[in-house]
Amino acid sequence: MRSRLLLALLILAAAIASVLGSETSRVEVSLILLDAVVTDREGNHVAGLAREDFELIVDNVRTPIEAVEDRCVAGGAAAVGDGRRSLIVLFNLSHMLLTARNDAIRAAIRYVEDEMRPGERMMVLAFMNGLHIVSPMTEDRAELGSRLRRLLDDRSMVDPVPFEEENRVQQIGRSAVRRFRAEQFGQVGLIQVPDLACETDVLQAEYRAARTLRTLANAMPAFGGLPGRKAFILFTETLRSREGPIMGNLCNVRLSEGLRGGLLARPELDDLQRRANLAGVSLYTVHAGGMGTGISDPLWEAARDLQVSLAMATGGRNLVLMKEPTLPFRQALHDLSCHYVLAWRPRDGMEPGRHRVLVRARQRGLSVRHREYVLVQSRSEAADNEMLAVLSNPGLYKELPVRVHGYSLSSTVPSRRTFLLRVSVEQSGLTGTPVNAATVNRTVQLRGAVLPPGGNVDCRFERTIPVDTPRSSDASGEAGVEVLCDLKEGEHEIVVAARDENGGALGAYWGRVTIKRPEEHAGMKALLWTAAGPSVWHQAHDAEWLPSAGRELTVDGDNVMGAQDAAALTFLLCRAKSPAEPGLSAGVLLAGPSQVRLAARPASTHQKGRCLLMRADLSAGALIPGAYDVIPEAEEGWTAVGSRTTIRVQ
């Protein structure tokens, strides 16, 4: 589940939020937290320090430290939080030559098989023209080793572009040398004209770098829900953030001001640093070309500039030349096993945004490694970030129960179905805040999406639902949203996040739904639509789909209605061959304490295909209390789709 869900949520992360984040710093909490690693001159981790051993400077202002938590575990055998140390490992295959690629994967195999200890877990990702889940987060060493070996041997996961790019850079470099020599010796006739194709190379390289950095940035919120410090090991080689000035100079091509400044990739690098810090992720960048026979990338210094920038900004480390290939894993895990968390109060008037921090140890000879800045958020930004963290890790948030129901309604175009998604929470689970002497407010925010396998988000929603009730009454009923989605056939994932806006409780839901053709779908049944009663519902679809009965109607999941309430029934009729026609004569028989026949008509005039969604209105007082079987009736050749339905009238 987790591998598909993470990949889908990376898509959702880009689509649903403009600001991302998690637990690193929030303006509405009283304390700001910063994790830091302390080492001595030999690089050994130092434990046992207290608040008076540190000095904190924020925006060049000395700032009091409220508290320091020592998270150094004896022997490094366990971690904080859930007792496990979590590593995320990503192989950037689109920016590694073949030798570096193989060296990096072999280093991971060696660590997993020879050095990985109980209490450690690892997730393995690969980037090649998109993100691939090699292994979900697991402690199973045998499974990790097997998946890594399959990745090593998988020729389809070898990207030829870095090799082609290296050849092109070398070719450009040789041309630049020839130009220089010709100019030195005054051989004007031998000076080559600018390589006009090089500008295209520059743009392509910038696009590739920007796409990789964007994918990494979108992945960060998915890790924000993991407790404590997170170590992200990035194996890369030829990824550079400023292709323009480097390749342009070699080509002797006059570039635009934007390209000279890294127009495409540089902003993506800044955003990756920002999102990693918000998610509490420290990046350990590894120049994979330095793991084996030596650095082969002719522009490796420019690549290392990017790697160092990522590591320093997020409190991780950059590693280049390594005699021991498993060093990156040991370094990251040592930091997870021994670090400190510093807490301080934001000063009055501190604006939301980026704030530079500097932490020093008072004891001579000790070095402190930490993030270069913290991000203070506005209340709305913090709420957005919190919701996205819930969407990225639904299994971690269970405080606020979320109810989700899905109903297949009808076919719209070939291979697509109209799907009704119903999401709600119980009002009794929400915190009530007094509005005045007579009224209490309860408010819930609901966000979610239906995610197709390997594609874009098919359907998403975001609603904030206020519920004002008299103080004298108990909170009953639900607060929710109904959404109509137009889905392709196949298996989809549903992910939902809920937040109690007054109390701060969080909840989530994850599940799967399979969309079939109407004639193949055995689960469809007649649906009862009733007035909301004590429940409050928001609807995000065309009112044409709703039976008109004077009051807003929603699907009643319990199939219960009041005898004096107006309601409606919808059901699906299909025929085997010829297309459906809107002029169908149909009805529904309600068999119970009394028998009532109702006329039914198409719910929409826009239906296509061989099926029609029908609706029949129930007027107030039409049925006496009791249980009724719902039996659709239609002309010869038409068949009602789905299982038997019974409604109860109270």
Side-chain angles (χ1 to χ4, degrees), residues 526-527 568-571 573 585-591 595-601 614-618 623 628-634 640 645 647:
L527 302 182
L569 289 163
T570 61
F571 55 93
L573 292 178
S585 175
V588 60
L589 171 65
L590 301 177
Q595 288 198 358
V596 177
R597 277 189 168 84
L598 301 172
R601 62 186 186 280
M614 309 296 294
R615 76 176 185 221
D617 291 332
L618 282 163
L623 300 175
Y628 292 81
D629 289 332
V630 179
I631 306 170
E633 298 178 329
T645 302
I647 64 173

Side-chain angles (χ1 to χ4, degrees), residues 499-520:
R499 183 177 187 271
D500 181 353
E501 295 292 89
N502 296 328
L506 299 169
Y509 171 88
W510 177 91
R512 286 195 177 108
V513 62
T514 300
I515 301 299
K516 299 180 179 180
R517 292 179 180 275
E519 55 269 28
E520 298 173 353

Side-chain angles (χ1 to χ4, degrees), residues 64 126 203 306 315 389 393 430 480 497 501 555 604 648:
L203 282 170
L306 177 143
N393 297 273
L430 301 174
E501 295 292 89
V555 171
S604 172
R648 296 195 312 277

Side-chain angles (χ1 to χ4, degrees), residues 93-99 128-129 158-174 195 197-198 200-202 204-205 208 237-238 240 243 247 250 296-299:
L93 304 181
S94 288
H95 290 90
M96 281 196 284
L97 298 167
L98 181 60
T99 300
M128 194 183 90
N129 300 319
V158 176
D159 196 333
V161 174
F163 177 75
E164 297 166 0
E165 199 171 72
E166 180 193 35
N167 286 342
R168 180 64 173 145
V169 169
Q170 290 176 343
Q171 175 191 0
I172 294 169
R174 287 192 293 268
D195 187 348
C198 187
T200 301
D201 293 334
V202 172
Q204 289 177 344
R208 282 169 48 78
E237 186 180 19
T238 64
R240 298 175 286 267
E243 298 285 359
M247 294 184 69
L250 289 177
S296 55
D297 176 20
L299 301 177

Side-chain angles (χ1 to χ4, degrees), residues 76-318:
V80 297
D82 62 359
R84 295 178 291 180
R85 293 177 296 178
S86 302
L87 280 182
I88 304 107
V89 180
L90 187 142
F91 301 102
N92 181 13
L93 304 181
S94 288
H95 290 90
M96 281 196 284
L97 298 167
L98 181 60
T99 300
R101 168 200 185 274
N102 294 344
D103 287 342
I105 299 173
R106 289 192 184 106
I109 294 172
R110 178 172 165 181
Y111 179 80
V112 167
E113 295 183 347
D114 298 343
E115 301 182 33
M116 190 171 173
R117 293 182 293 173
E120 297 174 10
R121 58 182 181 173
M122 184 183 297
M123 168 181 278
V124 182
L125 310 171
F127 180 85
M128 194 183 90
N129 300 319
L131 197 68
H132 303 265
I133 311 296
V134 178
S135 171
M137 190 71 76
T138 180
E139 298 180 42
D140 190 332
R141 293 170 55 196
E143 180 66 17
L144 279 168
S146 174
R147 294 193 180 214
L148 285 166
R149 290 189 180 279
R150 287 202 298 270
L151 176 64
L152 179 65
D153 297 334
D154 188 350
R155 296 298 94 182
S156 68
M157 292 294 285
V158 176
D159 196 333
V161 174
F163 177 75
E164 297 166 0
E165 199 171 72
E166 180 193 35
N167 286 342
R168 180 64 173 145
V169 169
Q170 290 176 343
Q171 175 191 0
I172 294 169
R174 287 192 293 268
S175 296
V177 170
R178 286 195 295 270
R179 283 198 304 270
F180 174 77
R181 288 175 177 171
E183 292 169 350
Q184 290 294 102
F185 290 98
Q187 296 172 317
V188 180
L190 296 179
I191 298 177
Q192 298 183 7
V193 297
D195 187 348
L196 298 180
C198 187
E199 188 164 5
T200 301
D201 293 334
V202 172
L203 282 170
Q204 289 177 344
E206 285 262 345
Y207 275 120
R208 282 169 48 78
R211 182 186 180 193
T212 302
L213 294 168
R214 169 54 44 202
T215 301
L216 294 178
N218 287 342
M220 291 301 116
F223 310 119
L226 296 173
R229 181 185 176 102
K230 277 78 67 174
F232 191 113
I233 301 177
L234 172 62
F235 288 95
T236 186
E237 186 180 19
T238 64
L239 179 63
R240 298 175 286 267
S241 63
R242 297 186 67 187
E243 298 285 359
I246 298 167
M247 294 184 69
N249 289 339
L250 289 177
C251 294
N252 197 27
V253 172
R254 184 179 297 277
L255 300 172
S256 67
E257 185 66 34
L259 277 178
R260 288 202 300 273
L263 173 66
L264 300 176
R266 189 70 204 185
E268 303 292 0
L269 174 62
D270 293 341
D271 196 44
L272 170 56
Q273 294 171 351
R274 172 180 176 273
R275 297 187 183 196
N277 282 334
L278 282 169
V281 172
S282 294
L283 284 154
Y284 293 77
T285 52
V286 184
H287 193 85
M291 301 190 69
T293 57
I295 295 174
S296 55
D297 176 20
L299 301 177
W300 77 272
E301 289 186 353
R304 186 168 179 256
D305 287 344
L306 177 143
Q307 297 160 21
V308 170
S309 175
L310 281 174
M312 290 184 63
T314 60
R317 280 199 64 183
N318 171 243

Side-chain angles (χ1 to χ4, degrees), residues 7-47:
L7 187 57
L9 285 168
L10 301 185
I11 302 169
L12 179 61
I16 208 168
S18 58
V19 286
L20 309 173
S22 70
E23 62 184 1
T24 305
S25 55
R26 296 192 178 108
V27 74
E28 49 282 299
V29 299
S30 58
L31 295 176
I32 295 177
L33 306 179
L34 177 70
D35 53 276
V37 175
V38 181
T39 55
D40 60 20
R41 288 190 175 94
E42 286 71 41
N44 301 312
H45 288 69
V46 177

